[in-house]
Amino acid sequence: TYNIKKEISIVAPKKEKPLAFLITKNNIEGLTITPQTTIKDIINVFGKENVEIGYTKPEGTPVPTVCIYRTGVGHKPSIEGYIKKDGEDYKLQFGLAVKDPRFVTDKNIHVSSTVGELKEKYFVDEIRTGEFTKVAISKKERLSFFLKGMYGKLKSSNINDVPNDTLIEEILE
């Protein structure tokens, strides 16, 4: 069983020497991402001391969440994902959102890379509009890239209409 905290609080991380952790198709640093991925699987890869289960409130309603830390619990999470109770364990509800620039794709794209860099290295199939974001999707690579500050500013779903200096805010696997 797991202890669930009422809400996750985040403080700024300490400055550290950057390390690179790899994101590839259906995999983050050795964790295979599927609908069957459980908290036990996540703990086996990242270690219990680096995993926290709690709640976030994306739209005011508490949602069970897993946070994975590479700078220690209590700092800003490197990776987050929504989870759901499944028997005695929790499973990922969707994929995991990478928020830490130390995690890179096999083509060296990371949080804070630009759309110009993304276009050079990946074929982007489409741009989708979420509730508050624009997402560039590479179906072949099974990766999505949340674009910073583009919501409401872009009328097209063509990646070439996105300014090259637009930053990637999160990578969703």
Side-chain angles (χ1 to χ4, degrees), residues 5-168:
K5 296 181 180 181
K6 290 188 178 186
E7 193 169 332
I8 296 170
S9 60
I10 299 169
V11 296
K14 295 177 185 174
K15 295 278 183 189
E16 286 191 355
K17 182 179 174 186
L19 302 170
F21 302 107
L22 188 61
I23 307 166
T24 58
K25 286 187 228 178
N26 299 327
N27 193 295
I28 299 175
E29 198 184 333
L31 174 69
T32 302
I33 311 294
T34 72
Q36 302 305 312
T37 301
T38 67
I39 295 300
K40 289 177 187 171
D41 299 328
I42 293 169
I43 288 170
N44 285 339
V45 171
F46 293 99
K48 190 173 185 173
E49 67 281 1
N50 296 314
V51 177
E52 182 177 60
I53 299 169
Y55 287 97
T56 58
K57 296 180 181 179
E59 295 174 12
T61 305
V63 177
T65 307
V66 61
C67 292
I68 302 165
Y69 300 87
R70 297 321 266 153
T71 29
V73 171
H75 295 281
K76 186 176 179 183
S78 296
I79 304 170
E80 290 182 310
Y82 296 129
I83 55 177
K84 62 182 175 184
K85 185 83 168 150
D86 186 22
E88 292 296 312
D89 207 348
Y90 285 87
K91 289 187 179 176
L92 287 177
Q93 195 167 9
F94 307 108
L96 289 171
V98 175
K99 300 175 177 221
D100 186 334
R102 295 176 299 169
F103 286 77
V104 298
T105 68
D106 57 341
K107 296 180 182 180
N108 205 32
I109 295 295
H110 54 85
V111 171
S112 297
S113 289
T114 65
V115 165
E117 294 168 314
L118 178 65
K119 290 191 287 192
E120 286 176 15
K121 298 178 180 181
Y122 287 97
F123 176 76
V124 175
D125 299 284
E126 63 184 295
I127 301 287
R128 287 192 190 159
T129 302
E131 189 166 335
F132 298 105
T133 190
K134 289 282 187 179
V135 181
I137 299 171
S138 175
K139 291 179 183 175
K140 179 182 175 192
E141 302 296 331
R142 296 184 183 160
L143 293 171
S144 298
F145 304 90
F146 287 74
L147 307 179
K148 188 171 187 168
M150 289 309 301
Y151 185 77
K153 294 182 180 179
L154 190 65
K155 304 300 179 209
S156 164
S157 60
N158 186 328
I159 189 67
N160 293 320
D161 293 336
V162 177
N164 282 337
D165 61 351
T166 301
L167 297 177
I168 294 171

